[in-house]
Amino acid sequence: MVQVTPFLVVLSLALVAPSLSAEKCLLTGTWTNDLGSNMTLGPVNRRGFFEGTYLTAVTATQNKIQKSPLQGSRNDMNKKGQPTFGFTVNWSFSESVTVFTGQCFVDDKGKEVLKTMWLLRSHVDNIGDDWKATR
């Protein structure tokens, strides 16, 4: 379904509000990866949960690409401002789900960067085809 640089998606913050601290990753905002996919994340609540949407630029299906919902959580145990996080995208246009896990970094120029890895599970018709369902 989604073909990306093997196991690594680098997402860069597209819009940086002037009020954001250069020392902390907040996750909230619009992000674009190296292949042109866009992700918009809403605010992280007090419990560390967030929601958003993902619009992929690449797919292995012939279906029309649609914006898809995502849900995730951020771990705030590390108080240094570069948290780990994870989220799930339930693709609106195919029978698959992708989970992402990663960490938010602030580079030496103050730019927020997400480094992630993903795992995609596609629907298969029987258990014999299970071997080809996960990428």
Side-chain angles (χ1 to χ4, degrees):
M1 204 284 314
V2 178
Q3 296 176 345
V4 222
T5 307
F7 300 111
L8 177 64
V9 177
V10 179
L11 301 166
S12 299
L13 186 60
L15 302 172
V16 178
S19 63
L20 295 181
S21 166
E23 298 175 3
K24 288 192 171 188
C25 288
L26 301 178
L27 293 182
T28 302
T30 300
W31 301 81
T32 302
N33 73 7
D34 55 339
L35 297 174
S37 298
N38 292 297
M39 175 175 72
T40 301
L41 299 180
V44 179
N45 70 22
R46 290 183 316 201
R47 294 180 53 212
F49 298 111
F50 59 89
E51 293 183 346
T53 58
Y54 200 103
L55 182 61
T56 186
V58 294
T59 182
T61 180
Q62 298 300 319
N63 298 339
K64 181 181 176 192
I65 295 173
Q66 298 175 21
K67 195 179 285 189
S68 299
L70 68 81
Q71 293 183 319
S73 64
R74 178 184 73 193
N75 184 308
D76 287 329
M77 290 297 293
N78 176 341
K79 301 300 181 192
K80 295 179 182 176
Q82 298 192 132
T84 56
F85 62 90
F87 61 90
T88 302
V89 178
N90 184 3
W91 300 107
S92 299
F93 57 92
S94 70
E95 293 181 318
S96 59
V97 172
T98 302
V99 293
F100 291 80
T101 187
Q103 185 172 355
C104 187
F105 294 96
V106 178
D107 70 14
D108 57 358
K109 296 177 185 173
K111 183 178 180 181
E112 294 178 70
V113 177
L114 304 183
K115 292 287 192 168
T116 64
M117 295 182 72
W118 57 269
L119 187 64
L120 177 136
R121 176 66 187 212
S122 297
H123 170 82
V124 291
D125 290 329
N126 62 63
I127 198 168
D129 290 333
D130 182 63
W131 65 272
K132 65 180 179 180
T134 303
R135 294 183 225 175

